[in-house]
Amino acid sequence: MARTAQMATSIETLTSTILAKIGASSLTEMASIIPSALTTDVNIMAGRRELEEGKMEDAFHQLSLSHSTLLHHRMAQRLHKPSLGNKEGEESGDVITRDTLEDEKVTLSTTAKDETVNHLRKLPSEWTVVQMTTQSVGEHNFQKIGSHPPTPGLYISRCTCGPLPTITVQAVAAPKDKGVRGIRQEVELIKEENKIISKDYRDQQQKYFTKREELNNRLKCVVRSMEVAWLRHWSCLLTGSLDIRDQLLLEESTTRILANCKISLTDTQKQLLQCIITCPIPPEKTTGFELGMNINVRASIAALFHESVRSERIKDLYAAIQKEEGTLSRLQRAQRNPVILILDKSIVSLPWEMMWVLQDQPVTRMPSLRMLTLLYQHHSCRSTSVLVQGVDSSKGFYMLDPDNNLPRTQERLKPVFDETGWPGITARRPTHEEFREAITNQDLVVYSGHGSGSQYLPGELVEGLECKALVLLYGCASVRLAPRGRIPDPWGVVLNYLIAYSPCVVGMLWDVTDKDTDVLTRGMIRALRGEDGEPGTPLATPPSDIALLVARSRFLCRWYLTAAALTVYGLPLHVIDKSCE
């Protein structure tokens, strides 16, 4: 015992000496000053302590520092080697000035809580940022590569943006049911079997369809487990904000509820309660308001107050909520504002957008709050940006089957591209210059071929560009972030595009079938150009919101696997069609 205590004292003394030499008083301070993949555990543990003390902003700040540290270092390299000056055809007001670069450097180097909160103030008030961070620290970093740790607990941080941001951080326990302890492992197995199915059953059509349907059903079960057994009643935190009119209705309804049961709540509790009582309900529970309420609302309210569902206070509050059935039923079905998901490296490969609470909602992903704020600042101050002007669907470019080995894809999509009047490339490899010109000068670029197109313009070359276009990468695993070990962050071409200031990238998380993807591509191109879809379908009247359009395009896919792979990275954008003016 004495020897152990002596060793602990020696380690503590040595650690203090090292920290003093770099000007830090603690590991938490060091991790905040120079966050990296090796310090994420320190940030998560610090976030846990702050949350236990009820310090929501401090907890969110610490947790945010654990996200995408490698990307921040790569982006910092870009900012220190900028390309200053005008590009051909660029307005003088849109030049990247040194002041702009300094602002972006400050955004990227956030180390203080107040700076993190200020990032939220700079974003549009209708946006909701939902950051999801795993609770697991340390214990899984040194497991064998290829092994899959159990499904972890989460910290869900829900932040409203604008001049008066709000921050709520909720700890969500790991699922207790052993049947759902391997959600990530099951998804990886489904993806692996999905990759080899075409080879194994190439000449056995019936077996092919049977196996694919089996994979579809397995993935549906995974998504259902994510909702019911993992996030449970806290899935309500993933929803976007309501528009101004609906929010006023909710405030009035909340006031009546609290008055009827004579309960006073903190601001955080009130925000959580409003998320709970307006959480969207799956179709099978919409035959009556009370059906959806019994399971979710009672459990959520009880968790909110740390009481039993049978306590008198919970019963009174639930009864008061039921009296607002008419208003709340409408709000549960109301259209939502954009949600930006920030997912840590352990859960980024999961199809979160397929959860019921996020279906038919405009959802995009970003690697971190700092990158989100930096990208928004960069585009919001540029008059020619598609964030400001909207995506002009008449200014497009396409690359169709550059390897010239997908003849059916050419047959299905060439007539659609011809209808657009866009310039493009079919059945030949684009040069670096052609690819570069497309993503830097056009408003919309569609790639339909194998992979992400990085075989024609490598990600390292993309990083040095200034991307203007909304980029649709309709190839297998085009926006996949590939793991590179337990500790380093995963990486993929989509991050190269974000470093190049690409406003938005749409692509696939894993391998998909060409026919299903072609049908999706055809439907989305027509929707982007404002063409009405089949009556009674989600695209009967296409929305102008890009992320919402993507969400409603998933119904075009025959296979659930394809629909679940479709993902949006970047800023919420909207489309315009100036060709009709």
Side-chain angles (χ1 to χ4, degrees), residues 62-78:
Q62 289 293 340
L63 294 171
S64 71
L65 293 177
S66 70
H67 287 257
S68 301
T69 54
L70 175 59
L71 175 62
H72 295 160
H73 293 313
R74 291 279 287 266
M75 190 69 202
Q77 291 175 345
R78 160 77 189 244

Side-chain angles (χ1 to χ4, degrees), residues 86-105:
N86 282 349
K87 295 190 295 182
E88 184 179 350
E90 185 174 51
E91 297 178 6
S92 59
D94 286 339
V95 179
I96 306 176
T97 65
R98 295 191 183 279
D99 288 342
T100 301
L101 283 171
E102 289 306 314
D103 288 342
E104 292 179 0
K105 290 177 184 177

Side-chain angles (χ1 to χ4, degrees), residues 25 85 110-111 143 178 254 266 270 289-290 322 337 394 400 404 412 430 455 467 473 530 552 579:
S25 60
T110 297
T111 59
Q143 286 190 353
K178 293 183 179 180
T254 305
T266 65
K270 179 181 175 182
F289 180 76
E290 188 175 342
Q322 285 185 306
N337 289 319
S394 67
L400 175 59
N404 196 21
R412 286 188 283 260
Q455 60 271 46
C467 292
L473 300 176
R552 293 183 177 176
S579 64

Side-chain angles (χ1 to χ4, degrees), residues 246-256 270 274 331:
D246 287 336
Q247 184 61 36
L248 288 174
L249 284 175
L250 177 57
E251 292 292 341
E252 294 170 357
S253 185
T254 305
T255 299
R256 289 192 296 269
K270 179 181 175 182
Q274 290 182 336
L331 296 180

